[in-house]
Amino acid sequence: MENRTHISVQDLNVHFRSEHVLKDINLSIPDRKITAIIGPSGCGKTTLLRSFNRLIDSTEGVRVSGRVLVDDENILDPKAEVTHIRKKMGLLLQKPYPLPMSIYDNVAYGPRIHGIRERRRLDEIVERFLKKASLWDEVRERLSQPASALSLGQQQRLCLARGLAVEPAIILGDEPTSALDPQSSQRIEATFTELKRDYTIVIVTHILRQARRLADHVIFLYLGELVEQGPAWDFFNNPKQPMTREYIKGLIS
Amino acid sequence: MDRRFAEERLFKGLMILATVLIISSLVLILLTVLLKGLPYMSLDMVTKTPQGGYYLGKGGGILNAILGSLYLAGGATLLAILFGLPVALYMNVFSRPGARFVGACRFSFDVLNGVPSIVFGAFGFTIMIFFAMRASLLGGIIAIALLILPMMVRSIDEVLRLVPHELLEASYALGATRWETALKVVVRQALPGILTAVLIAFGRGIGDAAAVIFTAGFTDSIPGSLLRPVATLPLAIFFQLGVPIPEVQGRAYASALILTILILIISLAARLLARRLTRHVVK
Ligand SMILES: Nc1ncnc2c1ncn2[C@@H]1O[C@H](COP(=O)(O)OP(=O)(O)O)[C@@H](O)[C@H]1O
Ligand SMILES: [Mg+2]
């Protein structure tokens, strides 16, 4: 399974009512690397990310065409079963949304849904993934407390642990650090760098410096079109498109 | 400048006037019930059923109506939750986003909410005639459930609408189905509000007289079966007030006091419960 792409997109088009939000997108996302989707706000980054796990379905007045292949399955196929597709991907949103339950139950929520009932196994899962999200030391004494009592940065790491607990192969993040203070952002970034050994990570960001720090692969969107994609080093040091050059220099935003 | 200050003062005055009017009428009602009812309050009132000649001033109490009202309102509230919660969940979690049908549902519940309770009573009565059913606890429960369903659905609906959509997405993203998300996340997040909605519906159900007058009937004995008539507090108050004997009229006020206290106790209990349930709610 060397370098087989988990996610690839073919001729993806998305409309919101009359607005053409994503135009003929073709791309593939390398395994076990961090891919950054960058571009100015409103260019369709969130929409692209949400089409990977079909959360886009729940938007009012949306039309989607094309193919999104995850493990060679076209998930846009109306017959595709969404819950097992979503189980393959953990999702982080701009602002952390812990579920209205305890810290423990937040992490155990996914495994329980997928049929794990034994307390011992759940205990072990909760501990393992809280450690993976580097939150365990801060919460081990208060697992039964409401998740909403944690700080924003801790909540975001809890959301990461919650996503990891369903054992996905992919982590999706939609500007996952934008609501956090600099220190918390740094911890999340550090965790991502560690996790990329085992996971394929895709993050949306509009912070160029963050993309430079984290990304192995970059996808640049502008007004719904894919302008350029490629390995991060090439992208930042040797951009092929004039538009990319201007964006990197900060001339357009 | 002066005119704006005058306007400001005028509106402030009007607001204070309105507030005072409302609060004082509430206090007046409570005082009337308390002053007129308290002298006739006795242990017998709440522990005994009407004995022979009760409505002429002889001994007994209204235990039949107290229990009848609790059974009736309790049963109706349960029935209304059973049908109302799924409807509210459907409108907020299961329906296609922005569906017209949901808007039509909301509108029709709002219209039903404005229908006078006597109409629900008459409607229930017609159905009962159709099934050749006599006035009974079951008939009353159905009529009251119909009466409180629209307000219950709409108030639960309003609470569910406040649940952030991202919370649902967080659950979907973990591979949860809509059903799991509705029960384990949405209901949990909205539980305090749902409880309040249920409580308000219960209060309206227990206080209503018009919907039960044909459907539940009246009896002097303690309710024993779903298919037998039951007494209710509002009707007991009505009958006692109609008797031109001061002793009996006084007991009518005592009965009103009992009804008020019942509602107060249930409100307080629900408040306490709601406070406990907010522990996990995500802000
Ligand atoms: N729910 C929605 N309904 C209608 N239009 C939307 C919706 N979400 C996003 N859009 C539109 O799609 C375009 C792309 O949005 P988005 O993917 O959120 O951009 P980004 O994440 O890059 O800021 C924007 O022009 C926005 O107006
Ligand atoms: Mg966005």
Side-chain angles (χ1 to χ4, degrees):
Chain A
M1 79 163 241
E2 248 64 68
N3 237 340
R4 197 186 68 189
T5 48
H6 269 107
I7 304 180
S8 63
V9 174
Q10 297 168 358
D11 303 319
L12 179 69
N13 277 281
V14 178
H15 293 257
F16 286 126
R17 298 186 203 289
S18 58
E19 201 184 344
H20 200 171
V21 177
L22 287 180
K23 300 166 190 164
D24 296 320
I25 305 291
N26 283 284
L27 53 84
S28 59
I29 292 192
D31 273 4
R32 289 166 208 256
K33 296 228 159 66
I34 297 182
T35 300
I37 303 175
I38 62 170
S41 83
C43 68
K45 304 182 296 292
T46 299
T47 309
L48 179 60
L49 195 78
R50 286 160 60 87
S51 59
F52 293 165
N53 64 358
R54 265 186 62 180
L55 270 181
I56 198 168
D57 286 15
S58 62
T59 317
E60 192 177 337
V62 69
R63 271 180 302 131
V64 187
S65 69
R67 285 149 59 87
V68 174
L69 298 175
V70 177
D71 286 342
D72 299 326
E73 178 189 6
N74 178 18
I75 64 158
L76 295 183
D77 189 333
K79 288 195 291 282
E81 204 269 312
V82 286
T83 58
H84 92 269
I85 294 164
R86 289 178 180 153
K87 191 172 172 296
K88 292 179 188 173
M89 307 177 205
L91 177 70
L92 289 180
L93 300 172
Q94 292 186 343
K95 197 180 153 251
Y97 277 90
L99 300 172
M101 44 190 85
S102 69
I103 295 171
Y104 183 99
D105 288 339
N106 259 275
V107 184
Y109 180 83
R112 278 187 178 133
I113 277 177
H114 298 294
I116 298 175
R117 291 263 168 274
E118 279 168 83
R119 184 78 198 193
R120 290 254 307 277
R121 268 187 79 193
L122 285 173
D123 286 350
E124 181 214 284
I125 288 173
V126 168
E127 180 173 341
R128 178 147 56 102
F129 291 104
L130 281 173
K131 277 180 179 160
K132 252 195 169 155
S134 61
L135 186 62
W136 174 251
D137 292 333
E138 290 153 69
V139 300
R140 58 187 305 173
E141 302 295 333
R142 46 175 176 152
L143 290 175
S144 60
Q145 278 183 20
S148 53
L150 296 172
S151 75
L152 271 186
Q154 290 172 323
Q155 285 184 15
Q156 192 65 303
R157 275 178 281 146
L158 178 67
C159 291
L160 181 61
R162 180 181 71 192
L164 295 178
V166 297
E167 314 218 5
I170 302 160
I171 300 169
L172 307 176
D174 188 358
E175 305 190 16
T177 61
S178 64
L180 309 182
D181 58 278
Q183 263 165 345
S184 303
S185 306
Q186 214 180 357
R187 292 199 67 165
I188 294 270
E189 286 186 13
T191 313
F192 277 160
T193 327
E194 211 157 279
L195 289 173
K196 78 173 177 188
R197 268 185 289 142
D198 305 316
Y199 298 88
T200 300
I201 300 176
V202 186
I203 55 165
V204 165
T205 177
H206 66 261
I207 312 166
L208 263 177
R209 267 175 302 157
Q210 188 173 46
R212 278 184 200 268
R213 277 196 302 269
L214 285 180
D216 303 303
H217 190 84
V218 183
I219 293 168
F220 174 40
L221 294 182
Y222 194 78
L223 297 176
E225 289 182 61
L226 195 155
V227 179
E228 185 166 346
Q229 62 169 322
W233 196 90
D234 293 347
F235 183 91
F236 286 115
N237 297 297
N238 189 15
K240 292 175 192 64
Q241 303 293 328
M243 188 98 89
T244 313
R245 243 167 276 150
E246 284 180 33
Y247 185 72
I248 292 171
K249 280 195 216 139
L251 295 180
I252 49 175
S253 62
Chain B
M1 225 34 195
D2 273 359
R3 220 194 75 218
R4 288 178 55 212
F5 277 122
E7 265 175 16
E8 167 109 11
R9 213 171 302 154
L10 178 69
F11 279 107
K12 205 172 160 192
L14 283 176
M15 281 189 287
I16 291 175
L17 186 70
T19 313
V20 168
L21 267 176
I22 290 173
I23 292 182
S24 51
S25 41
L26 183 69
V27 169
L28 266 177
I29 292 173
L30 288 178
L31 268 184
T32 313
V33 171
L34 204 65
L35 290 180
K36 289 196 172 184
L38 209 52
Y40 293 90
M41 229 9 193
S42 63
L43 202 59
D44 277 7
M45 280 296 281
V46 293
T47 55
K48 287 196 172 144
T49 56
Q51 310 294 306
Y54 174 81
Y55 294 101
L56 299 172
K58 296 233 180 82
I62 50 154
L63 182 63
N64 59 327
I66 296 175
L67 287 181
S69 269
L70 285 176
Y71 289 174
L72 198 72
T77 307
L78 277 183
L79 194 61
I81 297 173
L82 220 56
F83 284 89
L85 187 59
V87 172
L89 283 174
Y90 170 78
M91 295 201 297
N92 288 282
V93 182
F94 289 82
S95 66
R96 203 165 35 75
R100 287 243 180 81
F101 178 64
V102 171
C105 279
R106 292 205 167 104
F107 178 71
S108 50
F109 281 119
D110 285 341
V111 171
L112 282 174
N113 210 357
V115 170
S117 65
I118 186 79
V119 177
F120 284 99
F123 176 70
F125 189 57
T126 326
I127 293 180
M128 285 164 62
I129 290 177
F130 183 79
F131 286 107
M133 227 168 99
R134 294 232 313 267
S136 61
L137 177 56
L138 185 63
I141 285 179
I142 294 173
I144 293 286
L146 287 173
L147 171 74
I148 63 180
L149 190 66
M151 78 179 311
M152 190 190 275
V153 170
R154 281 298 274 129
S155 25
I156 294 180
D157 177 40
E158 289 302 329
V159 180
L160 296 189
R161 277 167 97 167
L162 295 179
V163 175
H165 198 254
E166 288 86 346
L167 209 53
L168 278 74
E169 291 187 348
S171 171
Y172 295 147
L174 295 166
T177 60
R178 281 171 196 263
W179 174 240
E180 288 157 343
T181 305
L183 284 191
K184 294 182 180 167
V185 176
V186 177
V187 168
R188 231 167 143 172
Q189 169 77 1
L191 207 51
I194 292 177
L195 201 70
T196 311
V198 167
L199 170 81
I200 294 171
F202 180 88
R204 171 140 190 224
I206 203 170
D208 195 82
V212 291
I213 199 159
F214 305 120
T215 51
F218 201 82
T219 172
D220 279 348
S221 49
I222 285 175
S225 145
L226 270 178
L227 299 175
R228 301 271 293 281
V230 283
T232 47
L233 276 168
L235 284 184
I237 295 168
F238 175 71
F239 290 143
Q240 292 175 103
L241 267 183
V243 177
I245 301 172
E247 171 78 19
V248 181
Q249 292 198 350
R251 287 182 193 162
Y253 283 101
S255 312
L257 188 59
I258 293 171
L259 181 56
T260 314
I261 292 172
L262 269 183
I263 294 178
L264 194 72
I265 291 175
I266 289 163
S267 308
L268 287 179
R271 285 250 159 159
L272 282 178
L273 197 61
R275 193 165 305 161
R276 289 202 143 180
L277 296 174
T278 45
R279 205 168 101 86
H280 284 297
V281 168
V282 178
K283 267 143 284 187

